[in-house]
Amino acid sequence: MNAMNYPPTVIDGATTTCQLFWRRVKEHDKKIAMREKDFGIWQTVTWSEYGEKARACGLGLVALGLKRGETVSILSENKPEWLYLDMGILCVGGVSNGVYTTDSAKQVEYLCRDSRTRVFVAENEEQLDKILEVRERLPDLVKIVVLDMEGLRDFQDDMVISIEELYQLGETYQKEHPDFWEEQIALSKPEDLAILIYTSGTTGPPKGAMISHRNLMFQISNLTPIIDFGPEDEQLSFLPLCHVAERSFSVFLPLFAGSVVNFVEGADTVPENIREVSPTVFFAVPRIWEKFYSAITLQLKEATGLQQLAYKLAIGAGYKIADKKLNGETPNKLEEFKFWLADQLVLKNVKRLLGLDRAHYLGSGAAPISPDLIKWYWALGLSMYEVYGQTENTGVATTNLPDRYKLGTVGVAAPETEVRISDEGEILLKGPHVFLGYLNQPEKTAETVTDGWLHTGDVGYVDNNGFVKITDRMKDIIITAGGKNITPSEIENQLKFSPYISDAVVIGDKRKYLSCLIMIDHENVEKYAQDRDVPFTNFQSLCKTSEVLGLIREEVEKVNKNFAQVETIKDFRLIEEVLTAEDDELTPTMKLKRSFVNQKYKGLIDTMYA
């Protein structure tokens, strides 16, 4: 049974996201839908304003010639306009495709050509330059819309218009065709292609995953009750909106929940914005949770002896409660009182410092996370749930739940989701959330979905209580020269738990022993060196200092103690350059590409086996 054979999900009479959106616009009217910070002040957007802007965008695109089933690509940081465009495109029957802001002109060309993009949306002058560089090779492209015209006031190009001009086109079209918008919304069907999400491309060029309204509606109705998401909730939008997780949390789940979406000012203001908003629901990738933990760990090192003792006692009381809760036991009255006291005197301040003092749901996904890190958040009194899924199943497939929780696992199958383990140990998924396939790649689609079962590429098992444990990616399993099978992700997760290590790749396939390439946390290691008067001139020289190498060796040895002899790291090297998402080594979600790293740093790796 493939996703098309499941009955459509109906929410308040709506069977597509555009029908649900327009219903919410009419119902919520003056209720706040989103906030954006402008000149230091949080500005609000109501649901009726959201609806008007989305309609103006959608009808403006129709005025430019957009037909049902045609693609519009959006290259922008998270902001209200992203959502206006997204819902506007869907409501007129178009297909919305998000592009990572870190993508190069060459990558933009590939995505636009593959998706046959008709209209391209660029956030600003920098992003406009990318599409202008490659437009000659994009025969389907008819128009470019720019959101921020700063620096472009005197720029003249027949193909380029501003978002304001798009709004005007839409408003004029609405006056001339007053019924067209609602007619188009009524025409939308559950099986229609709604959005394209290009996979990270850790192996080969990105593939356009085709996600239908049926897929999205199923996940909206499935996830909202799991998260206990409602109209009083506040969330912070900061992960890229072209990623399935952020798109779900910022665009689609609020259509059911009616929650308020707050947009960060920029990547560097996330810590400040999270403290201002104090979200009640917060989803992030492990990298973010590791950074929060590192920030507190390093602040503690600078605290007074008395403050350190107070934290140690408070977090100790927190761990006692966390252990009981995670084991399904009820803490006794004395333990509860000690935790209440610890919370009032110490832990509440830690949560406030992180901006998570109001949070009732913390979610972690998109990559494995250390169980020790999750336990630390529980010890603070914050409920954190590890979830699992992929673009190809529109987000979540398994999740830990308040009443069904097992640390170190990705939880149990979500409602109406089937999980099976193949003979090779691969995790297979089935349900109404399995995507339509890869755009223009029928062979890849046939390899990925067989008889309705999605082949995830992840290796794992399901225990007797239904909890799913992922051990690694199928292609990442290391077989040493001695024939020992090793799953590197568990070792890498423990290394990343260190505040001084931001990423690690374990090496050892067909080799005598394991070694590791390590990317240091630039900020934290730099501070460590400065505090100890270690001389260095740049990032490369910082990585070469004996003190830094000694610090990382200590961190590696700490992790080695948790593993069997054959699984220990015998040697390591530091990647001596600052990597960003623009670099080929990293995916847009800031994960090191194992195969690429193995090739690029082959010479460096060989020195560990000389």
Side-chain angles (χ1 to χ4, degrees):
M1 193 180 192
N2 66 28
M4 297 283 274
N5 300 123
Y6 290 93
T9 301
V10 183
I11 303 171
D12 294 347
T15 57
T16 65
T17 54
C18 30
Q19 290 167 13
L20 184 60
F21 167 68
W22 200 239
R23 188 166 288 252
R24 292 298 181 250
V25 166
K26 290 174 173 176
E27 280 172 8
H28 293 325
D29 191 25
K30 297 288 178 271
K31 183 185 181 299
I32 295 168
M34 55 186 99
R35 289 195 194 91
E36 178 188 34
K37 207 169 181 190
D38 203 15
F39 299 114
I41 296 163
W42 287 94
Q43 309 287 351
T44 60
V45 176
T46 64
W47 277 90
S48 63
E49 288 167 328
Y50 183 5
E52 280 165 24
K53 286 283 200 290
R55 183 172 61 192
C57 284
L59 295 180
L61 291 165
V62 170
L64 291 174
L66 186 77
K67 307 272 189 305
R68 293 189 77 82
E70 291 184 332
T71 303
V72 179
S73 292
I74 305 168
L75 175 56
S76 168
E77 296 290 357
N78 302 13
K79 48 178 57 196
E81 288 83 356
W82 219 115
L83 273 62
Y84 304 157
L85 284 155
D86 208 21
M87 292 317 303
I89 295 161
L90 296 192
C91 286
V92 296
V95 178
S96 172
N97 171 45
V99 183
Y100 285 103
T101 54
T102 51
D103 278 1
S104 64
K106 187 175 139 199
Q107 288 165 313
V108 167
E109 181 190 346
Y110 169 80
L111 297 182
C112 289
R113 183 187 288 277
D114 192 59
S115 62
R116 301 190 65 178
T117 292
R118 298 292 284 162
V119 179
F120 188 89
V121 179
E123 180 179 11
N124 49 28
E125 188 176 6
E126 180 195 348
Q127 305 299 4
L128 174 64
D129 286 342
K130 294 177 186 176
I131 191 71
L132 292 179
E133 193 183 314
V134 299
R135 66 172 162 177
E136 301 299 327
R137 297 189 290 280
L138 299 172
D140 295 297
L141 187 69
V142 293
K143 216 71 178 171
I144 300 165
V145 179
V146 181
L147 303 184
D148 180 1
M149 294 296 286
E150 193 177 336
L152 295 167
R153 292 293 164 211
D154 302 324
F155 177 78
Q156 290 295 318
D157 189 305
D158 290 344
M159 199 184 247
V160 181
I161 63 168
S162 69
I163 186 85
E164 280 75 22
E165 289 171 276
L166 183 71
Y167 292 150
Q168 283 163 9
L169 281 172
E171 282 156 15
T172 304
Y173 197 93
Q174 168 64 13
K175 283 177 191 144
E176 292 167 359
H177 309 83
D179 302 324
F180 185 83
W181 172 254
E182 296 208 2
E183 284 167 2
Q184 294 306 303
I185 290 171
L187 278 175
S188 62
K189 296 185 182 72
E191 59 272 18
D192 289 348
L193 170 59
I195 63 173
L196 279 174
I197 293 194
Y198 278 84
T199 58
S200 302
T202 44
T203 55
K207 299 184 289 289
M210 300 187 287
I211 292 171
S212 67
H213 286 285
R214 184 192 304 267
N215 297 146
L216 292 166
M217 290 293 281
F218 172 74
Q219 286 291 37
I220 290 170
S221 71
N222 227 13
L223 272 175
T224 313
I226 287 173
I227 297 168
D228 189 22
F229 216 1
E232 304 306 314
D233 280 312
E234 297 264 352
Q235 54 196 114
L236 195 70
S237 179
F238 70 102
L239 294 171
L241 275 166
C242 32
H243 193 281
V244 72
E246 188 63 49
R247 193 74 149 275
S248 299
F249 271 84
S250 289
V251 184
F252 297 113
L253 292 180
L255 299 184
F256 193 150
S259 55
V260 179
V261 180
N262 298 274
F263 293 94
V264 295
E265 293 164 271
D268 49 343
T269 63
V270 172
E272 181 192 327
N273 293 157
I274 191 173
R275 282 193 290 272
E276 290 173 321
V277 171
S278 190
T280 57
V281 169
F282 193 74
F283 176 86
V285 293
R287 190 92 176 239
I288 303 291
W289 298 122
E290 287 154 8
K291 276 197 168 301
F292 285 172
Y293 171 77
S294 295
I296 298 298
T297 307
L298 293 172
Q299 285 197 3
L300 275 168
K301 287 190 172 160
E302 294 177 2
T304 64
L306 191 62
Q307 286 170 326
Q308 287 180 359
L309 177 65
Y311 171 80
K312 191 179 171 185
L313 292 169
I315 203 75
Y319 273 118
K320 276 202 172 67
I321 291 277
D323 280 330
K324 283 267 175 96
K325 283 185 174 174
L326 294 171
N327 288 324
E329 298 167 29
T330 307
N332 63 41
K333 289 279 186 280
L334 181 61
E335 286 167 336
E336 281 185 344
F337 174 72
K338 282 181 177 173
F339 177 73
W340 176 83
L341 201 60
D343 193 43
Q344 294 300 312
L345 298 174
V346 180
L347 301 180
K348 203 173 261 183
N349 293 330
V350 175
K351 287 182 281 193
R352 206 169 281 135
L353 202 61
L354 293 171
L356 298 172
D357 47 309
R358 292 200 304 148
H360 67 78
Y361 178 92
L362 303 183
S364 180
I369 186 170
S370 160
D372 292 338
L373 187 57
I374 290 182
K375 204 176 199 182
W376 180 75
Y377 283 98
W378 278 86
L380 285 178
L382 294 166
S383 304
M384 178 184 271
Y385 302 93
E386 190 174 5
V387 302
Y388 166 69
Q390 0 183 257
T391 304
E392 289 82 351
N393 76 280
T394 325
V396 172
T398 73
T399 177
N400 277 288
L401 301 161
D403 55 346
R404 281 193 81 187
Y405 200 106
K406 193 168 187 180
L407 200 61
T409 75
V410 290
V412 294
E416 287 188 65
T417 301
E418 293 178 72
V419 179
R420 195 170 87 187
I421 308 296
S422 76
D423 295 341
E424 295 75 32
E426 184 180 11
I427 296 170
L428 309 180
L429 303 172
K430 201 181 212 182
H433 44 32
V434 173
F435 75 146
L436 298 173
Y438 296 117
L439 184 69
N440 307 325
Q441 299 199 38
E443 302 86 4
K444 283 278 183 215
T445 301
E447 281 171 31
T448 308
V449 183
T450 52
D451 298 326
W453 287 96
L454 172 68
H455 290 249
T456 63
D458 289 312
V459 181
Y461 60 86
V462 182
D463 72 12
N464 295 336
N465 297 313
F467 286 93
V468 180
K469 168 82 176 168
I470 294 167
T471 47
D472 223 310
R473 293 290 290 165
M474 283 188 85
K475 63 179 187 296
D476 290 346
I477 287 178
I478 289 171
I479 302 173
T480 64
K484 176 75 179 165
N485 277 31
I486 288 166
T487 54
S489 65
E490 206 163 326
I491 306 165
E492 290 161 356
N493 281 339
Q494 293 209 20
L495 287 167
K496 288 188 282 185
F497 193 45
S498 159
Y500 303 112
I501 296 173
S502 72
D503 212 343
V505 171
V506 172
I507 314 288
D509 201 42
K510 300 180 184 66
R511 309 246 190 193
K512 289 178 189 169
Y513 52 82
L514 299 187
S515 65
C516 191
L517 286 178
I518 289 173
M519 196 159 76
I520 61 170
D521 186 298
H522 188 183
E523 202 179 321
N524 293 348
V525 173
E526 190 170 74
K527 189 174 186 318
Y528 174 90
Q530 286 166 344
D531 289 349
R532 285 155 186 78
D533 297 323
V534 176
F536 65 94
T537 51
N538 56 21
F539 185 76
Q540 196 174 16
S541 69
L542 174 68
C543 290
K544 285 187 181 340
T545 63
S546 59
E547 289 86 351
V548 167
L549 289 167
L551 167 72
I552 301 302
R553 191 168 290 109
E554 276 175 33
E555 298 298 302
V556 169
E557 285 311 317
K558 275 184 211 166
V559 170
N560 276 344
K561 286 176 186 161
N562 302 328
F563 291 95
Q565 187 62 29
V566 72
E567 297 172 315
T568 55
I569 305 291
K570 302 294 190 287
D571 204 353
F572 70 90
R573 294 288 183 272
L574 302 184
I575 293 175
E576 294 178 354
E577 51 189 314
V578 182
L579 299 177
T580 66
E582 277 97 347
D583 291 296
D584 292 331
E585 288 93 320
L586 294 177
T587 68
T589 47
M590 301 299 283
K591 291 183 286 214
L592 276 168
K593 295 179 186 173
R594 190 181 303 278
S595 55
F596 190 89
V597 164
N598 269 292
Q599 287 163 13
K600 179 169 179 182
Y601 298 103
K602 187 180 181 302
L604 187 62
I605 291 165
D606 287 344
T607 65
M608 295 188 277
Y609 295 95

